[in-house]
Amino acid sequence: MKWLVSLAGAGLVMVTLRDLFHTLWHPTRHGGLSRLVMTALWRLAQRFRTPGRVVGLVGPLAMVTVVSMWAVTVVLGWAIVYWPHMPGAFTFSPGSQAAQQPALLDSVYLSLVTVATLGLGDIAPDEGWLRLVSPLEALIGFALLTATVSWVLEIYPALTRRRVLAVRLALLRDADPMTRQIDCTAGALLLDSLATDVARVRIDFTQYAEAYYFHDGEDHSSLAAMVGYAAVLAQRGQGAGLPEVRLAGALLSGALKDLASILDQRFLHTGGPPTDVFAAYAADHGRDGAQP
């Protein structure tokens, strides 16, 4: 029976590590529990129609919640591993009152100080297998800390790329170049660079799905509000006279379709054409009135 309880705790740790791996390191980033938590917080904020500043905190708060969930489940999982063998399989420092505490409390305490790599030493494993297994928890704790820092450092460059594209589109919308104005080599270069930026954002949504749950602020820096105008530019480019401009317009149109496909597949589930997907994207980010 003791071993079954310990195996249950090990299973909880493995589930957490799998979710962490799929969220941070898997090429397609299909985190299970983390995606559920982030989606639930996003829908909750929308349901209660929280103010713009509060909604802007949903993304960071979701990341903090997911990391806290990982830490708590790892601590509880290892505590369950230790629990059936407490206190007999452990030694306690002289004068310590820990042995007089409930076994579950001691197990949680040992798990917490181990995953935090504190190593206080007042409770130490005595049996051989526990002496081998216990240091693994410290390694997992160190890996969790490193993964959290890496996650933060990765997500914000992705958000910057998205906002830069939105600002570019906002500036172009203000200038509103017609087909005759982009029917030149400079127009082809412009459309080609936009297609490249859209492709980068598409990859960001694939590798950093949590970026979707970050609000971008005002319309001029919100891709949800501006992406529709990129489709207008692509259409104008495809109607140009120069072959290179038409090609660049086709590339931009293809990149936008690919982006719409990712947004629809992962977040929106409209099943409609890119125009419907982008409209749903704008509405989901509170940009119902955004005009291309």
Side-chain angles (χ1 to χ4, degrees):
M1 185 63 182
K2 290 184 177 181
W3 289 104
L4 290 178
V5 175
S6 295
L7 286 175
L12 181 60
V13 173
M14 293 302 297
V15 169
T16 304
L17 293 179
R18 179 190 179 279
D19 188 65
L20 188 150
F21 173 78
H22 279 268
T23 301
L24 301 184
W25 296 312
H26 194 276
T28 56
R29 303 283 182 112
H30 279 289
L33 295 176
S34 59
R35 279 291 300 277
L36 288 176
V37 169
M38 290 185 171
T39 302
L41 289 175
W42 179 260
R43 299 305 175 200
L44 188 65
Q46 289 184 322
R47 182 173 182 179
F48 288 98
R49 298 181 180 180
T50 54
R53 291 184 180 180
V54 177
V55 173
L57 296 175
V58 171
L61 287 176
M63 291 182 67
V64 170
T65 302
V66 169
V67 172
S68 300
M69 176 190 71
W70 289 336
V72 169
T73 51
V74 166
V75 169
L76 288 180
W78 281 98
I80 293 172
V81 172
Y82 300 142
W83 183 28
H85 311 281
M86 184 72 69
F90 295 85
T91 58
F92 299 82
S93 60
S96 172
Q97 301 296 318
Q100 301 176 13
Q101 303 297 324
L104 181 59
L105 179 62
D106 283 342
S107 300
V108 173
Y109 165 76
L110 176 61
S111 179
L112 188 59
V113 297
T114 303
V115 80
T117 66
L118 294 177
L120 298 180
D122 52 342
I123 304 178
D126 192 34
E127 289 190 3
W129 73 274
L130 283 172
R131 295 176 65 185
L132 292 176
V133 169
S134 183
L136 292 178
E137 184 179 8
L139 291 176
I140 291 174
F142 181 75
L144 179 59
L145 175 62
T146 305
T148 301
V149 174
S150 300
W151 197 16
V152 173
L153 294 177
E154 287 176 349
I155 188 65
Y156 283 97
L159 295 175
T160 299
R161 288 189 290 270
R162 191 172 79 192
R163 289 163 184 166
V164 167
L165 174 58
V167 170
R168 287 192 68 191
L169 290 173
L171 293 172
L172 286 168
R173 188 183 67 172
D174 292 340
D176 198 23
M178 295 293 105
T179 300
R180 65 180 181 278
Q181 294 174 287
I182 61 175
D183 194 8
C184 58
T185 301
L189 292 174
L190 171 64
L191 296 177
D192 183 70
S193 66
L194 287 175
T196 301
D197 289 345
V198 170
R200 287 196 184 103
V201 170
R202 180 263 187 215
I203 293 173
D204 286 338
F205 275 125
T206 302
Q207 295 188 337
Y208 311 106
E210 58 275 8
Y212 181 86
Y213 305 107
F214 282 73
H215 270 266
D216 291 324
E218 302 298 329
D219 283 352
H220 71 277
S221 62
S222 172
L223 184 62
M226 293 294 119
V227 70
Y229 188 71
V232 173
L233 289 176
Q235 185 178 8
R236 291 176 183 175
Q238 289 177 295
L242 291 179
E244 58 265 33
V245 179
R246 292 199 302 270
L247 175 60
L251 288 174
L252 178 56
S253 179
L256 289 169
K257 289 179 181 178
D258 201 16
L259 174 61
S261 176
I262 291 297
L263 289 173
D264 200 40
Q265 177 185 350
R266 293 203 164 199
F267 310 106
L268 300 170
H269 312 294
T270 67
T275 52
D276 292 346
V277 174
F278 291 143
Y281 178 36
D284 204 32
H285 280 253
R287 309 297 177 185
D288 306 70
Q291 296 294 328

